[in-house]
Amino acid sequence: MQSDAARRVGFIGLGNVGGKLAGSLQRYGFELVVRDLDPAAMAPFLDLGVSEASSGAELAERCDVVITCLPTPAASAAVLEARDGVLAGFSSAALAGSAGSGSKIWAEMSTTDHHEVRRLGALVEAAGGAAIDCPVSGGCHRAATGNISIFAGGDRDTFEAMLPLLTTMGRRILYTGALGSASILKVVTNYLATANLVSLCEALVTSQAAGMDLATAYEAIRISSGNSFVHETESQVILNGSRDINFTMDLVCKDIGLFADIAAEQGLPLELSPLLVDVFADGAARYGYREWSPNIIRRLEEATGRTITAPGFPAEIVDDEPEVPGAEVAVRRGDKS
């Protein structure tokens, strides 16, 4: 793809994460075309003069890179495979000879099923394009500042073509190998974050029950071997009472369900994974699938009659790290000599 053409980017899905990623591209001068079913999500971009597309096909015809950031595998499939979807636009552009000197790229930034990424990627290639999966990790607050981490799976040439965009949207970019590999690793890391969240809920409730001041308990965990990214973010909004981490229980259920599917395919006798699936299925049934995920602690609050809050903690997390240019992360391989 020509370097000037690579600046024309289509973005489909302007939700909690996608809107922030698209905002980084707009902020740094990429020519952007956007689409979302929610007019409220589109409005901030249109107010800035960003162009909109009436369909996925139109967006794909006009743009050299099409990014999707959607809540479910089914949503991505619908956006690509609809009669007026992205695949139709890629095919039309290829027939018209308007794809430039290289393939158009579909970049899947959703957290999704790696089998589905590979299936849709094959359809993209048949339509004359190239595919890469590049989900993000690190929270909405880091997506807003361009400091989020991004995994990227696909052939190396497609990764190199995407790298200027990826380093604009994120700080740490990890090339993970073949198409679908990034989606597997994103599901793995979200599973670990969920396990950490549930264990932190138990730790905070147990600390209070044992007579500990919760602010002191928070600091003890933060400066100890028990610390984690999840503690420094989600424990704070738990203690504030807002429980607002911009991530909902339905998304947790999807992610840990995908992890469970991967493990089951490999015949792995996991023990913790089924428990987490049950915990969040129960939480979503009790409080609603669109409830904030840290409010899973309510199950323990209700069971114990306790309220796990403390003064002085923020209602939402803001990234206070300076925005710096992104770069590819080198994988440690050890000394092969």
Side-chain angles (χ1 to χ4, degrees), residues 6-55:
R7 296 184 67 83
R8 194 176 305 110
V9 183
F11 208 110
I12 302 176
L14 304 172
N16 288 336
V17 174
K20 295 173 177 63
L21 297 172
S24 290
L25 294 175
Q26 189 278 330
R27 193 165 68 249
Y28 281 94
F30 286 87
E31 185 180 347
L32 199 61
V33 181
V34 296
R35 177 163 172 75
D36 195 285
L37 296 178
D38 182 2
M42 294 272 285
F45 291 92
L46 303 184
D47 290 345
L48 292 171
V50 173
S51 179
E52 67 176 311
S54 62
S55 68

Side-chain angles (χ1 to χ4, degrees), residues 177-202:
L179 183 68
S181 59
S183 293
I184 292 173
L185 290 174
K186 175 58 193 299
V187 168
V188 167
T189 59
N190 276 21
Y191 166 77
L192 289 170
T194 302
N196 197 186
L197 171 59
V198 172
S199 65
L200 283 165
C201 291
E202 293 187 352

Side-chain angles (χ1 to χ4, degrees), residues 9-12 33-35 53-67 86 104:
V9 183
F11 208 110
I12 302 176
V33 181
V34 296
R35 177 163 172 75
S54 62
S55 68
E58 179 196 335
L59 183 142
E61 289 173 356
R62 293 169 58 185
C63 299
D64 303 280
V65 175
V66 174
I67 297 173
V86 170
K104 290 176 181 273

Side-chain angles (χ1 to χ4, degrees), residues 69-79 108 110-113 116 120 250-251 254 258:
C69 191
L70 298 161
T72 64
S76 290
V79 163
E108 173 64 289
S110 317
T111 301
T112 190
D113 177 6
E116 188 68 354
L120 293 174
D250 60 332
L251 297 178
K254 177 198 71 173
L258 289 170

Side-chain angles (χ1 to χ4, degrees), residues 167-283:
T167 54
T168 298
M169 293 184 284
R171 176 187 288 192
R172 301 175 183 89
I173 317 301
L174 179 66
Y175 178 64
T176 58
L179 183 68
S181 59
S183 293
I184 292 173
L185 290 174
K186 175 58 193 299
V187 168
V188 167
T189 59
N190 276 21
Y191 166 77
L192 289 170
T194 302
N196 197 186
L197 171 59
V198 172
S199 65
L200 283 165
C201 291
E202 293 187 352
L204 292 172
V205 171
T206 301
S207 294
Q208 190 200 62
M212 297 297 102
D213 171 74
L214 284 174
T216 303
Y218 172 85
E219 288 300 325
I221 297 169
R222 189 184 68 83
I223 65 172
S224 73
S225 58
N227 193 33
S228 66
F229 174 84
V230 174
H231 177 61
E232 292 192 359
T233 54
E234 300 194 40
S235 288
Q236 293 205 67
V237 297
I238 285 174
L239 291 172
N240 171 273
S242 76
R243 281 78 197 266
D244 181 359
I245 202 67
N246 268 309
F247 203 74
T248 50
M249 290 193 183
D250 60 332
L251 297 178
V252 175
C253 290
K254 177 198 71 173
D255 293 350
I256 60 178
L258 289 170
F259 177 86
D261 290 344
I262 293 170
E265 287 174 5
Q266 304 306 317
L268 303 178
L270 303 188
E271 297 177 324
L272 182 57
S273 173
L275 293 176
L276 293 177
V277 170
D278 289 346
V279 165
F280 264 92
D282 179 67

Side-chain angles (χ1 to χ4, degrees), residues 289-318:
Y289 283 84
R290 299 302 294 168
E291 178 60 86
W292 297 127
S293 56
N295 225 8
I296 198 69
I297 198 172
R298 278 184 63 188
R299 294 173 72 253
L300 285 171
E301 288 180 316
E302 292 172 356
T304 62
R306 297 180 177 276
T307 300
I308 307 301
T309 58
F313 290 90
E316 60 181 0
I317 302 300
V318 177

